[in-house]
Amino acid sequence: MTVQTVTPQRRFRAKARGRDLDPAALDELRALLGDERQYAELQQRDRLIEHLHVIQDAQGHLSLRHLRALSAFMNLPMAAVYETATFYAHFDVVHDDQSPPPAITIRVCDSLSCQLVGSEALQRELESGTDAGQVRVVRAPCMGRCEMAPVVEVGHRHVASATRERVAAILAEGDFEPRIHEWQHLDDYRCEGGYELLADCQAGRVSVDQLMQTLESANLRGLGGAGFPTFKKWYFVRQEAEPRYCAINADEGEPGTFKDRYYLERAPHRFLEGALVSAWAVNAQGLYIYLRDEYPGLHRVLREAIAELETAGLAAPGYIILRRGAGAYICGEESAMIESLEGKPGKPRHRPPFVAQRGLFDRPTLVNNVETVYWIPLIWQRGADWFAGHGRHGRSGLRSFSVSGRVKRPGVHLAPAGITLGELIDEYCGGMQDGHELAGYLPGGASGGMLPASKADIPLDFDTLQEEGCFIGSAAIIVVSDHDDLRRVATNLLAFFADESCGQCTPCRVGTEKMLTLLERDEWNVEELMRLSQVMIDASICGLGQAAPNSILGLLKDFREPLAAQNVIVKG
């Protein structure tokens, strides 16, 4: 008997898996993206988020047909495009069986500073007073305008000290474009010595070593939160092989922080000179500025300021690259920002290697904060002693405090490093609001911990608050009074972290949600909260999960009596 072996034939799909590409959508995309002679550049992966913004701005949402077209245009898997689009809060992905959102979106800030003055009630009023078919009302995390609380954004126009009536007037007016603060243009900045330092650096009249020595003498530290000495960061990046990059983190999403916005709105060229000098110091191949999407007016200001530089020949065309964030607090973490600059979801990287070794495009990258580089031209012009000569209680330097909450004059207050909260409120903020007594304060925004009024005499600076389980971070001071519900303060802070967790690691993703659940109870179990906090601190990948419990630990340590007075039972 003969057995015949039959080899089965492989079956191939006649077309790729997934939905068909709509040629019309691809044509629409090409028209939106512009000059076809630049398509090779436009198809680079790091342009993905920029392209998503172009579609969102033009269409008001991201349809799947356009995402498929973008996938084909950039030669990226649809899964990568979809994952990136759905990671960021400011992209509205609409599936084929869904209707697009209304043309107008109202965002109501729900940060602690806004909650203290009634943002939740305002959101309910706006929801009940608008046509849901025409206007969408959503809550939004901190918009970096805490001194104007409560804040609402209608389209791209922010409304300070918002009320239902003010929002209704803007809706009737129909102008939803951002308002631009009057800013110092190039000619005016150069009249006061602007860009002289950059010229001296490029001409060899000032060496990197000279500048680093000046910054060391001035004790200029990173002012985005970590406080790492600026000259050391430059030194470490310079030890790595070229090519190198420089990236400026302008994604100040920490609730209570708005100092970077304040300086950029008024003096963008001082910031740009400091950024260009920093890029020169590490011989960077390119200078990237990552600006949070909550600052649409600043996006326009920086574009114009950069164009002024290029026209004047002070920066080569294309050397300064301005990129928009898309609504993700986690991108304030430097490695998450790098991921976002590369067109990916902003998930923090495991370290080592550090971004100074392998950062943007896998190359050594200098990452500095906006305010850090803003001071560089002034320190060189006025001398290290001028900057270091300020200070109180044994500290040195100047600090820009973003103060919000229950004070008469909230805002950015430039004060000596080491000033106490009591001195800051009395001398710079006009005292507490009438009828309010200080109950406590957050010295470093949502992640910096919480201290009671009895500790308002601690010097505010780097390295002065660690014994209390707190840190100054970006110097975002949120002042809480005896009128405020401490449980609502706690749940507001944990809800923020739960919303903003990137979800990459379990201790943060699950821990923030679990802690929020525990805090919503009438009885707080100290043992449970402490155990969960320790797991989050020890095992989270990045600072978000590690710092999320800080304010809760402060409440458990120093606020037992006021919590009990507000009917919160603290057990254990």
Side-chain angles (χ1 to χ4, degrees):
M1 178 177 177
T2 303
V3 178
Q4 185 175 2
T5 302
V6 179
T7 303
Q9 292 183 339
R10 292 187 64 187
R11 295 189 301 170
F12 293 92
R13 292 186 180 87
K15 59 183 180 180
R17 187 192 298 270
R19 299 292 182 92
D20 291 336
L21 172 66
D22 181 352
L26 186 57
D27 290 340
E28 292 166 9
L29 177 68
R30 289 177 179 273
L32 284 174
L33 297 184
D35 191 348
E36 63 182 16
R37 292 170 295 180
Q38 300 177 3
Y39 278 171
E41 178 184 339
L42 294 173
Q43 289 169 330
Q44 294 173 3
R45 171 63 192 261
D46 64 288
R47 300 297 293 270
L48 175 57
I49 294 174
E50 292 295 302
H51 295 340
L52 292 171
H53 275 304
V54 169
I55 301 170
Q56 175 81 32
D57 290 345
Q59 307 291 334
H61 63 281
L62 301 175
S63 66
L64 287 191
R65 62 190 289 271
H66 282 117
L67 293 185
R68 295 185 197 106
L70 187 57
S71 168
F73 176 80
M74 299 190 72
N75 196 27
L76 287 173
M78 178 61 178
V81 175
Y82 184 83
E83 180 191 20
T84 302
T86 53
F87 180 85
Y88 295 94
H90 290 185
F91 294 137
D92 296 305
V93 176
V94 176
H95 288 232
D96 293 335
D97 58 347
Q98 294 177 326
S99 299
I104 302 170
T105 296
I106 297 176
R107 290 183 166 86
V108 183
C109 181
D110 68 355
S111 73
L112 179 57
S113 301
C114 287
Q115 179 189 277
L116 294 178
V117 289
S119 63
E120 291 173 329
L122 176 60
Q123 181 176 342
R124 290 192 294 270
E125 288 180 5
L126 294 173
E127 287 172 338
S128 64
T130 53
D131 181 354
Q134 303 295 321
V135 178
R136 175 177 58 161
V137 180
V138 299
R139 65 181 182 86
C142 185
M143 298 181 186
R145 289 169 169 80
C146 313
E147 81 278 30
M148 309 172 186
V151 178
V152 168
E153 185 183 26
V154 183
H156 291 303
R157 182 174 173 180
H158 287 91
V159 187
S161 303
T163 62
R164 179 176 176 175
E165 291 73 25
R166 290 182 181 179
V167 173
I170 289 173
L171 288 173
E173 181 184 341
D175 181 0
F176 310 136
E177 291 302 306
R179 293 302 184 259
I180 308 298
H181 195 281
E182 185 175 345
W183 55 282
Q184 185 181 45
H185 287 264
L186 176 60
D187 289 343
D188 292 331
Y189 180 60
R190 296 185 82 173
C191 284
E192 59 183 43
Y195 291 105
E196 288 181 3
L197 172 60
L198 179 64
D200 288 344
C201 290
Q202 292 172 338
R205 293 185 290 271
V206 174
S207 70
V208 177
D209 289 339
Q210 284 178 294
L211 189 52
M212 288 172 63
Q213 179 60 53
T214 299
L215 298 183
E216 181 181 7
S217 299
N219 193 29
L220 181 65
R221 300 175 66 166
L223 298 170
F228 194 77
T230 302
F231 82 96
K232 282 188 179 180
K233 186 175 284 192
W234 287 14
Y235 174 80
F236 289 139
V237 174
R238 284 172 56 82
Q239 302 312 300
E240 302 295 327
E242 297 187 40
R244 311 182 192 111
Y245 289 94
C246 180
I248 306 297
N249 194 336
D251 192 67
E252 58 171 356
E254 182 71 33
T257 308
F258 46 92
K259 62 182 179 60
D260 291 350
R261 188 207 85 229
Y262 177 87
Y263 288 122
L264 288 173
E265 283 180 339
R266 291 159 177 78
H269 278 293
R270 179 167 292 141
F271 154 72
L272 287 170
E273 182 177 15
L276 285 166
V277 168
S278 302
W280 163 83
V282 297
N283 195 26
Q285 184 168 306
L287 170 59
Y288 284 75
I289 300 171
Y290 187 83
L291 179 68
R292 68 183 311 213
D293 200 35
E294 287 83 353
Y295 294 165
L298 272 180
H299 194 271
R300 183 182 302 174
V301 168
L302 286 176
R303 282 204 318 267
E304 292 180 15
I306 292 167
E308 288 183 336
L309 284 179
E310 293 177 347
T311 301
L314 294 173
Y319 181 76
I320 304 174
I321 300 163
L322 179 62
R323 292 286 168 83
R324 285 168 69 181
Y329 164 75
I330 191 63
C331 291
E333 196 275 340
E334 62 178 7
S335 67
M337 179 196 69
I338 296 294
E339 289 286 296
S340 191
L341 282 171
E342 293 180 353
K344 305 170 187 174
K347 297 181 180 180
R349 297 176 178 177
H350 291 270
R351 292 176 287 186
F354 298 93
V355 298
Q357 301 164 310
R358 293 174 59 183
L360 187 61
F361 309 128
D362 214 30
R363 299 306 309 163
T365 304
L366 173 68
V367 177
N368 276 145
N369 165 258
V370 167
E371 191 197 353
T372 305
V373 301
Y374 171 88
W375 287 115
I376 292 172
L378 278 175
I379 289 173
W380 182 260
Q381 187 180 77
R382 300 182 184 181
D385 290 343
W386 163 78
F387 189 81
H390 296 85
R392 293 186 187 177
H393 307 296
R395 312 303 297 178
S396 66
L398 289 166
R399 296 288 176 265
S400 300
F401 293 96
S402 305
V403 186
S404 61
R406 302 299 193 175
V407 295
K408 286 183 178 177
R409 289 202 300 269
V412 174
H413 297 291
L414 184 62
I419 194 172
T420 67
L421 178 80
E423 293 167 340
L424 185 65
I425 291 176
D426 291 341
E427 297 175 31
Y428 291 83
C429 302
M432 295 289 292
Q433 291 177 359
D434 293 339
H436 290 260
E437 291 186 12
L438 178 66
Y441 64 104
L442 285 73
S447 59
M450 189 165 178
L451 293 169
S454 61
K455 296 180 179 179
D457 58 351
I458 299 175
L460 296 172
D461 197 14
F462 299 112
D463 313 318
T464 63
L465 300 169
Q466 278 83 340
E467 288 185 6
E468 302 295 335
C470 298
F471 57 83
I472 193 171
S474 57
I477 311 291
I478 304 177
V479 178
V480 178
S481 82
D482 57 339
H483 287 213
D484 297 317
D485 185 324
L486 292 176
R487 191 216 309 269
R488 293 185 68 229
V489 169
T491 54
N492 177 282
L493 296 172
L494 259 296
F496 169 77
F497 287 118
D499 283 346
E500 294 295 335
S501 173
C502 74
Q504 181 178 190
C505 68
T506 303
C508 177
R509 181 184 68 250
V510 177
T512 51
E513 293 282 0
K514 176 64 176 175
M515 184 169 286
L516 178 57
T517 300
L518 295 176
L519 295 173
E520 287 172 339
R521 297 176 180 174
D522 290 333
E523 183 178 290
W524 288 6
N525 186 305
V526 174
E527 183 182 350
E528 281 186 312
L529 289 168
M530 295 291 287
R531 187 169 60 246
L532 178 57
S533 296
Q534 199 60 53
V535 170
M536 294 170 65
I537 292 168
D538 291 342
S540 296
I541 289 174
C542 80
L544 189 152
Q546 295 164 8
N550 284 347
S551 295
I552 309 310
L553 295 174
L555 284 166
L556 294 176
K557 178 183 177 184
D558 292 314
F559 291 82
R560 298 284 186 104
E561 260 186 60
L563 281 167
Q566 295 178 0
N567 299 317
V568 178
I569 302 169
V570 182
K571 179 182 176 183

